[in-house]
Amino acid sequence: EAGVVQSPRYKIIEKKQPVAFWCNPISGHNTLYWYLQNLGQGPELLIRYENEEAVDDSQLPKDRFSAERLKGVDSTLKIQPAELGDSAVYLCASSFSDQETQYFGPGTRLLVL
Amino acid sequence: EDKVVQSPLSLVVHEGDTVTLNCSYEVTNFRSLLWYKQEKKAPTFLFMLTSSGIEKKSGRLSSILDKKELSSILNITATQTGDSAIYLCAVLIQGAQKLVFGQGTRLTINP
């Protein structure tokens, strides 16, 4: 069974530029999560989807971050414009339901210059 | 505020040693506790512990949940260099249905 797929794996951009990350969850997993992981810290939840509905986006900085999960499968996380402090690893995870174990993708390492 | 704290933050041992990693939590509504191993980037699931399953074992790894002390330990016996990684502890919050992670323990196994 394929795991969670994310792309790109690495991204380097200049500040004020837009950037987008893509995630394909494990087949059949209804719940999808985006996490932010700063160096030396554990992941922090940005947004959780149940199918195509964002059920928890309380930690998403909505002035510059947006996300979508059209058709309840793949998801895209966007930052516009990026700031220096956005440099981090962006992890996507999925689970069969919000009660079950979350499985993580390899993440996208973003560097904003 | 929900909080998960891991200790030590960093640990260096020799191959063959036994290590114990600690995780304590203060959360509003506990559902389960999970351990992940993170090499390079993707956290890999190790164990889930709930009120009905407070001890788990897989090979050289084992974990115990102490609901009275609001803590958990992860034991690794006969460590190997391949065990070098960051070990993350997370608590699943009932109701909010979100994972709150600790800061991780960086384990280094020297040959």
Side-chain angles (χ1 to χ4, degrees), chain A residues 10-59:
Chain A
Y10 304 91
K11 189 74 178 179
I12 301 174
I13 61 172
E14 293 186 346
K15 64 181 181 181
K16 299 185 182 179
Q17 294 299 306
V19 64
F21 314 125
W22 176 81
C23 173
N24 179 244
I26 293 172
S27 178
H29 281 194
N30 300 320
T31 310
L32 183 145
Y33 313 77
W34 283 102
Y35 287 87
L36 164 70
Q37 187 174 24
N38 287 305
L39 190 64
Q41 301 295 319
E44 298 174 29
L45 181 69
L46 289 173
I47 189 168
R48 172 169 67 96
Y49 280 94
E50 295 291 339
N51 298 303
E52 66 275 8
E53 182 182 359
V55 294
D56 183 359
D57 63 357
S58 57
Q59 302 303 311

Side-chain angles (χ1 to χ4, degrees), chain A residues 69-86:
Chain A
R69 192 184 183 198
L70 301 176
K71 301 181 182 179
V73 181
D74 295 0
S75 177
T76 303
L77 177 69
K78 298 178 181 178
I79 309 175
Q80 182 170 12
E83 297 179 352
L84 296 177
D86 297 331

Side-chain angles (χ1 to χ4, degrees), chain B residues 39-84:
Chain B
E39 299 172 277
K40 297 185 180 180
K41 270 183 265 174
T44 305
F45 172 73
L46 294 174
F47 298 118
M48 175 188 278
L49 301 157
T50 66
S51 299
S52 59
I54 61 173
E55 185 169 359
K56 293 286 179 71
K57 183 175 172 62
S58 177
R60 297 177 295 103
L61 277 67
S62 63
S63 183
I64 297 173
L65 174 67
D66 187 336
K67 287 211 70 179
K68 184 177 178 183
E69 296 297 326
L70 305 183
S71 64
S72 174
I73 60 170
L74 176 68
N75 278 321
I76 308 175
T77 60
T79 53
Q80 303 170 358
T81 55
D83 295 326
S84 295

